[in-house]
Amino acid sequence: MTEAAELPPAPEQAHEVFGDRFADAVRYAELLAEAGVQRGLIGPREVPRLWQRHLLNCAVLSEVVPEGVTVCDVGSGAGLPGIPLALVREDLKITLLEPLLRRTTFLTEVVELLGLDHVTVVRGRAEEVMGTLPPVHVVTARAVAPLDRLATWGIPLLRPYGEMLALKGDAAEEELKSATTALNKLGAVATSVVHVGEGVVDPMSTVVRVEVGESPGGVRFAAKRAKAARTGRVRRRRG
C-alpha cells in the first residue's frame, strides 16, 4: 500500500472552504501524500490526517487575514500554511519563503501545477532577504520555531503597522506570555491569541497575532533595514 492510498477522501468541509479551488486542494493533498512523503517533506503518519490537521487547519487562517494584502509565509516547508491560504484567497499576493532547495523545488512545482499566479517562491532565510524582499502587510508561519525566535525572523519583514500570524498549539497562551519582552523589543504594540475555523476544524486552529507599530523589528532592525535598502539601490544602479 502506498502513502497515496492512505489519503482519506476530502471531508465535506473542504468543499465549503476551498470552493472553486476544491479540485486543486485535492491535487495538493495528493502531492503531499506522494511526493511530499517521498522527499521527506512530511512524515507518512501525517497522510491519514492531511485534511483536518494540515490543509483545513491552515486554510481557516484566511479568517484573520485582511483583504488584498501582501503575505510572506516564513519557513513555508511543504507549503503550510501558504498554499492552502493561496487556494482560498486569490486576492492576496503571497511569497513562500523557504531556505532548503528540495522544499523550494517542491513548492515551485506545486505553484506551477495549480496555476497559483499570485504566489512566488523564494529560497532564503528571513534574515538574509531583508532589504531584497519588499516589506509585507502580513507574515505567516506554522511550526517553524518558538515564538520569540520566530518573531526575530518574521517581524523585520513587515511593513509599518503590519502583523505576524503564527499558527500555534495548545501552549499558545504560555508561549506568548514568555515571549512578551522579546516582542516588545521588536516593536510589537499589541498581541492576542485567536481561534479560527469554527465548524470546520475540531479543535479550532489557534493563531498568535502580533501587531507592530511604525518600526517593525525595533531600533536594531531599523538600521539594518536601511543599510539593506541602500545596498539594494546601489546594486540596481550598477546593474
Side-chain angles (χ1 to χ4, degrees):
M1 181 178 291
T2 65
E3 287 83 2
E6 298 173 11
L7 179 67
E12 187 61 36
Q13 295 94 322
H15 290 268
E16 301 168 9
V17 171
F18 291 104
D20 293 341
R21 284 282 196 171
F22 171 72
D24 290 326
V26 171
R27 186 65 186 122
Y28 177 51
E30 292 171 347
L31 288 167
L32 287 173
E34 297 166 354
V37 172
Q38 292 164 7
R39 301 185 195 181
L41 304 183
I42 66 166
R45 292 183 179 179
E46 296 303 312
V47 172
R49 49 187 184 179
L50 270 177
W51 284 106
Q52 281 292 335
R53 185 182 176 91
H54 299 287
L55 274 74
L56 289 172
N57 178 273
C58 290
V60 296
L61 182 63
S62 65
E63 295 178 19
V64 287
V65 177
E67 290 187 16
V69 299
T70 52
V71 178
C72 182
D73 188 30
V74 173
S76 195
L80 302 165
I83 296 293
L85 183 61
L87 287 170
V88 298
R89 294 289 300 276
E90 295 189 30
D91 60 301
L92 305 175
K93 186 175 181 180
I94 300 176
T95 298
L96 306 179
L97 181 62
E98 169 56 48
L100 295 184
L101 178 60
R102 63 187 171 90
R103 293 176 180 170
T104 54
T105 299
F106 175 78
L107 292 173
T108 300
E109 292 170 0
V110 171
V111 167
E112 292 177 354
L113 182 64
L114 302 185
L116 298 175
D117 298 333
H118 57 306
V119 177
T120 302
V121 178
V122 174
R123 184 185 176 196
R125 299 182 184 279
E127 58 269 32
E128 297 169 346
V129 301
M130 188 191 307
T132 59
L133 282 183
V136 296
H137 298 92
V138 176
V139 162
T140 59
R142 178 179 188 251
V144 173
L147 187 61
D148 53 353
R149 197 188 320 159
L150 172 63
T152 65
W153 302 332
I155 288 180
L157 300 178
L158 289 170
R159 293 172 48 147
Y161 307 105
E163 59 184 333
M164 183 175 74
L165 301 172
L167 281 161
K168 289 289 183 178
D170 295 338
E173 293 278 3
E174 292 86 348
E175 197 171 339
L176 177 56
K177 185 176 180 180
S178 65
T180 298
T181 300
L183 293 174
N184 290 340
K185 289 180 179 178
L186 289 166
V189 296
T191 60
S192 58
V193 174
V194 295
H195 296 91
V196 294
E198 184 175 7
V200 177
V201 288
D202 185 19
M204 291 191 291
S205 300
T206 301
V207 182
V208 174
R209 170 186 265 156
V210 179
E211 301 170 67
V212 300
E214 61 183 16
S215 299
V219 176
R220 183 162 63 94
F221 284 95
K224 187 174 181 180
R225 189 182 294 107
K227 180 179 179 181
R230 288 195 300 271
T231 302
R233 286 195 296 269
V234 170
R235 288 175 179 166
R236 286 193 292 273
R237 284 200 297 268
R238 289 176 178 173

